[in-house]
Amino acid sequence: MEKIPDYVHEFIRERKDKLNEIYEGRKSVDGPGYLHIKIDVNENKTDVIYIDEILKRQMLTKEFCDNIEENNKEDKKIYLVEDIKLKALFILYI
């Protein structure tokens, strides 16, 4: 799947400041990481967590993380958006 659903764009756009606050706040305490956003449109639920180095090792493979970091050429924030309805994971560089 190549296209990110409109509701994901909407969610990010409408909560941009709050998501940035979470990301920067956790990064300053826990160091580099990713913001994981789990969206369940059917249940109208969203979970947001910061994945620091410790959680990376527990939740993700080294190869997955290496690939994400290699593609982050401009050192942007990394958002992992998990869409429950589509059973898809979108990697956003913000």
Side-chain angles (χ1 to χ4, degrees), residues 23-24 27 32-35 50 53 56 63-80 91-94:
Y23 185 95
E24 292 299 334
K27 182 179 178 185
Y34 314 140
L35 198 64
Y50 187 78
E53 291 296 323
K56 275 187 199 180
E63 294 78 19
F64 180 80
C65 293
D66 288 348
N67 187 34
I68 288 174
E69 315 247 340
E70 286 171 14
N71 287 311
N72 191 11
K73 308 256 187 254
E74 297 175 25
D75 198 32
K76 294 184 175 187
K77 296 176 185 79
I78 299 171
Y79 290 6
L80 304 179
I91 303 166
L92 306 179
Y93 298 93
I94 309 262

Side-chain angles (χ1 to χ4, degrees), residues 25-78:
R26 295 313 313 166
K27 182 179 178 185
S28 69
V29 173
D30 298 324
Y34 314 140
L35 198 64
H36 180 256
I37 304 165
K38 187 179 195 178
I39 298 176
D40 188 338
V41 179
N42 295 333
E43 297 290 325
N44 195 28
K45 289 171 61 175
T46 305
D47 292 320
V48 178
I49 64 166
Y50 187 78
I51 300 175
D52 62 12
E53 291 296 323
I54 294 169
L55 283 176
K56 275 187 199 180
R57 288 191 293 272
Q58 294 172 355
M59 297 173 61
L60 308 167
T61 67
K62 181 181 181 329
E63 294 78 19
F64 180 80
C65 293
D66 288 348
N67 187 34
I68 288 174
E69 315 247 340
E70 286 171 14
N71 287 311
N72 191 11
K73 308 256 187 254
E74 297 175 25
D75 198 32
K76 294 184 175 187
K77 296 176 185 79
I78 299 171

